[in-house]
């Protein structure tokens, strides 16, 4: 069933450059928009910038430019960032857009005409950082709980929105609609707040104090309070009141925010809508904060994490995956680069990357580079079919509850099951005998079909990787999710293209980290290298070796068993290069051998020596060789 789906991010203040927090909300909105498009929904995805008010005027003044110039500059940084993160927003709204100014004035006039805006005097504690008055009870030790600064006491004549009038209606509405504010902790937080009498909202600022705002339609001497202005963006963008988009999308509105702006979205906005005669949004979806090394991110602490830096360093899909996988939506999460690297090396390089490259390599070798047809005499092996079904159920449930980490865990359940399926079924053994052909075809079909389903499931989060996987399978991105989900949809005879590794392993450079749980990831310590005396160096017996035989070590993904000629003597060397070289590809290669290394046993096999290698392209090892062909056994000096 397809339908309309409207998803929004907060419109970000233009007083600071985008950071990982802004990127998170926007990527989540993008993932939801992509997921809904995949399901055939008509999605409209909105983001933008919030440009009026004291805060922006102050930032512009301290930068020596006009508020408009300043807003243009920072808004452009947000607008330009989103395509870099492959954000597929349908519209980018600015509160300085003429259409928005007009919509805000229309709503103000409507609410004023209905008698829900009145003129009165107000005195209170005002925090400039938050752009709002605080009640004494809300202050912590007399300070703003968010900014830890003492608010100023302000008294002025202003316009007020009769918010209190809608308190009972709002409580009722929240109670009747489980998903109106979610997760539940935030719903409870708003309901707890509503236990106290709701005060009316001051919605104007005298121009004597602030001119950077939208002039009230009924009093030229005032501009609109920035929150009353900003929240309305969500309907301006749909062309309220007449727009076709408004009637199509508004009732499906899903707002995404972090917990910092729960009150304006959970209380001001629904009551404003009610007063303007507009039905409330469908859901307010509230997430926690990304903290950096367990502290709040802030410019003054100098710990602001920039999304583009991470994209450029680790790749976009890895960054997007990490954000969705490591935060439980609703709770705070801790960002560390080390955790990101760990995810890349385990979930992406080891699990997904290895599965993809193993399956495609085997399919190329055993199926002639074309997707096989499932044999009609199939043995009825539905291991992966069932695993895929389970993954899809967990995925759908995860998305329905905004538990993106669970949706991804479900998908990884299928990835890990497929990796295990390879080990259990040993396609390489079947490939050696003619009797194994039918079974081999069935196994390869199942694995390729699993890859196709995995690519579909990851596509909202990792669009680039999904694209590479579709291309490798010789198919295009599916148009109809419900059809594409059906097991057995992969057509036979499609030309496969084994591309480069999806996720090269990454080394993390840090001062203190150690350890790698599975022996694959090397977290590089920045330890100064010890000096070695020449005499010690001379103890190394480095020789030219010629590889005369190579084969995989049974049950090992990483090791190759080599026979290496080092001049009149042949050695068995077990080298961890199976992910980097195929046995047939290194036969005859001249390599550098550490010939006097103490023998050791690896996976039960004796290894007498070691090959020297370095990091090559795409995280692959590159064996050290020679530009001219030397004699096997020659000393390397
Ligand atoms: N302009 C208002 C929103 C008006 S919406 C009608 C505003 N802007 S903001 O630039 O401060 O953005 C706040 C939002 O940015 C949060 O609600 C959240 O979406 C995102 N984040 C900012 N810092 C964050 C973290 N540290 N962690 C997660 N998200 C955070 O408030």
């Amino acid at each position: 069933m397809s339908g309309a789906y409207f998803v929004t991010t907060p419109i970000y203040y233009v007083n600071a450059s985008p950071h990982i927090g802004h990127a998170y909300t926007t990527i989540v909105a993008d993932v939801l928009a992509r997921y809904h498009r995949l399901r055939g929904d008509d999605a409209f995805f909105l983001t933008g910038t919030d440009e009026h008010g004291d805060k922006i005027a102050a930032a512009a003044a301290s930068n020596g430019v006009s508020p408009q110039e300043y807003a243009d500059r920072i808004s452009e940084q947000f607008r330009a960032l989103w395509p870099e993160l492959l954000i597929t927003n349908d519209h980018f709204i600015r509160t300085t857009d003429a259409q928005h100014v007009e919509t805000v004035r229309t709503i103000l006039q409507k609410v004023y005409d209905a008698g829900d805006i009145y003129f009165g005097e107000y005195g209170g504690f005002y925090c400039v950082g938050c752009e709002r008055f605080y009640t004494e009870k809300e202050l912590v030790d007399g300070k703003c709980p968010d900014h830890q600064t003492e608010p100023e006491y302000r008294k002025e004549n202003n316009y007020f929105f009769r918010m209190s009038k809608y308190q009972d209606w709002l409580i009722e509405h929240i109670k009747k609609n489980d998903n109106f504010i979610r997760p539940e902790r935030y719903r409870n937080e708003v309901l707890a707040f509503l236990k106290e009498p709701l005060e009316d909202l001051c919605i104007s600022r005298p121009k004597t104090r602030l001119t950077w705002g939208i002039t009230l339609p009924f009093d030229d001497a005032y501009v609109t309070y920035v929150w009353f202005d900003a929240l309305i963006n969500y309907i301006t963008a749909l062309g309220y009141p007449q727009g076709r988009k408004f009637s199509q999308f508004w009732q499906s509105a899903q707002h995404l925010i972090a917990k910092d702006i729960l009150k304006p979205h959970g209380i001001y906005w629904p009551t404003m809508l009610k007063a303007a005669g507009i039905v409330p949004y469908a859901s307010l979806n509230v997430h926690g904060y990304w903290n950096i090394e367990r502290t709040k991110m802030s410019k003054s602490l100098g710990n602001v994490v920039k999304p583009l830096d991470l994209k450029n360093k680790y790749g976009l899909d890895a960054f997007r995956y990490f954000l969705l996988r490591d935060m439980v939506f609703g709770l705070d999460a801790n960002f560390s680069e080390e955790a990101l690297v760990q995810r890349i090396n385990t979930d992406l390089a080891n699990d997904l990357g290895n599965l993809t490259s193993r399956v495609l390599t085997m399919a190329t070798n055993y199926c002639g580079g074309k997707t096989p047809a499932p044999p009609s005499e199939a043995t009825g092996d539905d291991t992966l079919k069932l695993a895929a079904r389970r993954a899809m159920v967990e995925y759908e449930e995860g998305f329905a509850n905004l538990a993106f980490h669970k949706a991804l865990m479900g998908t990884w359940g299928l990835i890990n099951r497929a990796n295990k399926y390879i080990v259990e079924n040993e396609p390489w053994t079947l490939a050696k005998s003619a009797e194994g052909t039918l079974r081999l075809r069935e196994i390869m079909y199942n694995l390729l079909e699993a890859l196709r389903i995995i690519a579909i499931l990851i596509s909202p989060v990792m669009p680039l990787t999904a694209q590479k996987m579709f291309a490798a399978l010789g198919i295009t991105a599916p148009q109809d999710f419900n059809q594409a989900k059906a097991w057995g949809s992969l057509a036979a005879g499609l030309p496969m293209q084994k591309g480069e590794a999806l996720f090269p392993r990454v080394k993390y450079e840090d001062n203190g980290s150690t350890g790698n749980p599975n022996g694959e990831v090397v977290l590089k310590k920045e330890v100064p290298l010890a000096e070695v005396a020449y005499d010690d160096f001379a103890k190394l017996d480095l020789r030219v070796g010629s590889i005369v035989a190579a084969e995989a070590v049974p049950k090992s993904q990483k090791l190759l068993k080599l026979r290496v000629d080092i001049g009149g003597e042949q050695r068995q060397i077990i080298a961890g290069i199976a992910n980097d070289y195929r046995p047939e590809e290194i036969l005859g290669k001249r390599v550098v051998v550490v010939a006097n290394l103490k023998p050791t046993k690896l996976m039960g096999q004796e290894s007498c020596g070691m090959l020297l290698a370095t990091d090559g392209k795409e995280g692959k090892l590159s064996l050290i060789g020679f530009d001219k062909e030397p004699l096997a056994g020659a000393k390397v000096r």
Side-chain angles (χ1 to χ4, degrees), residues 9-15 19-26 49-50 55 78 227 230-234 256-261 265 287-291 296-297 327:
T9 73
I11 45 170
Y12 303 112
Y13 284 132
V14 288
N15 63 341
H19 58 60
I20 189 176
H22 306 120
Y24 175 72
T25 318
T26 313
T49 44
D50 185 357
K55 202 149 57 175
F78 280 94
W227 270 107
L231 288 160
I232 290 171
N233 91 86
Y234 299 132
L256 286 172
I257 59 165
K259 61 186 184 181
D260 54 340
I261 50 177
H265 282 83
H287 63 79
Y289 281 144
W290 277 100
N291 294 321
K296 201 171 169 190
M297 198 172 10
M327 177 175 262

Side-chain angles (χ1 to χ4, degrees), residues 27-44:
I27 289 172
V28 171
D30 184 61
V31 168
L32 284 167
R34 286 174 183 268
Y35 168 74
H36 279 272
R37 287 185 200 119
L38 192 60
R39 289 165 49 115
D41 290 338
D42 203 351
F44 190 80

Side-chain angles (χ1 to χ4, degrees), residues 211-424:
T211 53
W212 183 237
I214 299 175
T215 302
L216 294 182
F218 41 81
D219 191 338
D220 272 359
Y222 287 85
V223 293
T224 313
Y225 169 47
V226 67
W227 270 107
F228 200 96
D229 158 354
L231 288 160
I232 290 171
N233 91 86
Y234 299 132
I235 57 172
T236 304
L238 296 180
Y240 173 86
Q242 264 106 30
R244 180 191 57 79
K245 284 203 181 75
F246 183 74
S247 48
Q248 186 186 353
F249 287 108
W250 175 246
Q251 301 212 20
S252 68
Q254 296 284 333
H255 295 313
L256 286 172
I257 59 165
K259 61 186 184 181
D260 54 340
I261 50 177
L262 175 60
K263 193 172 165 190
H265 282 83
I267 295 179
Y268 305 173
W269 184 221
T271 54
M272 282 166 64
L273 287 165
K274 179 77 181 158
I278 303 169
V279 295
Y281 51 77
S283 284
L284 179 64
N285 306 289
V286 190
H287 63 79
Y289 281 144
W290 277 100
N291 294 321
I292 310 300
E293 311 291 356
R294 306 197 191 283
T295 30
K296 201 171 169 190
M297 198 172 10
S298 82
K299 246 206 261 178
S300 51
L301 285 175
N303 63 353
V304 174
V305 176
K306 298 207 180 107
L308 265 192
D309 291 353
L310 292 172
K311 174 203 159 178
N312 292 339
K313 198 159 166 193
Y314 297 108
L316 178 62
D317 277 12
F319 174 54
R320 288 174 61 117
Y321 173 76
F322 171 78
L323 290 180
L324 274 280
R325 177 65 185 81
D326 265 43
M327 177 175 262
V328 175
F329 193 92
L331 304 180
D332 288 356
N334 191 49
F335 174 83
S336 81
E337 223 170 307
E338 192 178 341
L340 167 57
V341 166
Q342 200 78 19
R343 283 273 174 227
I344 294 175
N345 287 330
T346 51
D347 299 14
L348 301 183
N350 278 3
D351 300 343
L352 175 59
N354 269 349
L355 175 69
T356 309
S357 86
R358 288 165 86 190
V359 172
L360 289 168
T361 304
M362 289 190 295
T364 310
N365 294 343
Y366 308 150
C367 310
K370 295 221 162 86
T371 46
S376 46
E377 311 89 315
T379 56
D381 167 5
D382 54 7
T383 315
L384 292 187
K385 181 179 174 181
L386 293 178
R389 193 177 299 160
R390 199 171 321 121
M392 282 188 250
V393 169
E394 287 173 33
Y395 184 82
E396 296 287 334
E397 272 176 19
F399 266 91
N401 300 319
L402 304 168
F404 306 107
H405 69 296
K406 283 198 184 156
L408 290 169
M409 279 161 77
T411 310
W412 256 252
L414 173 59
I415 292 172
N416 293 333
R417 189 66 195 84
N419 268 322
K420 198 165 151 220
Y421 184 78
I422 298 178
V423 177
E424 285 166 357

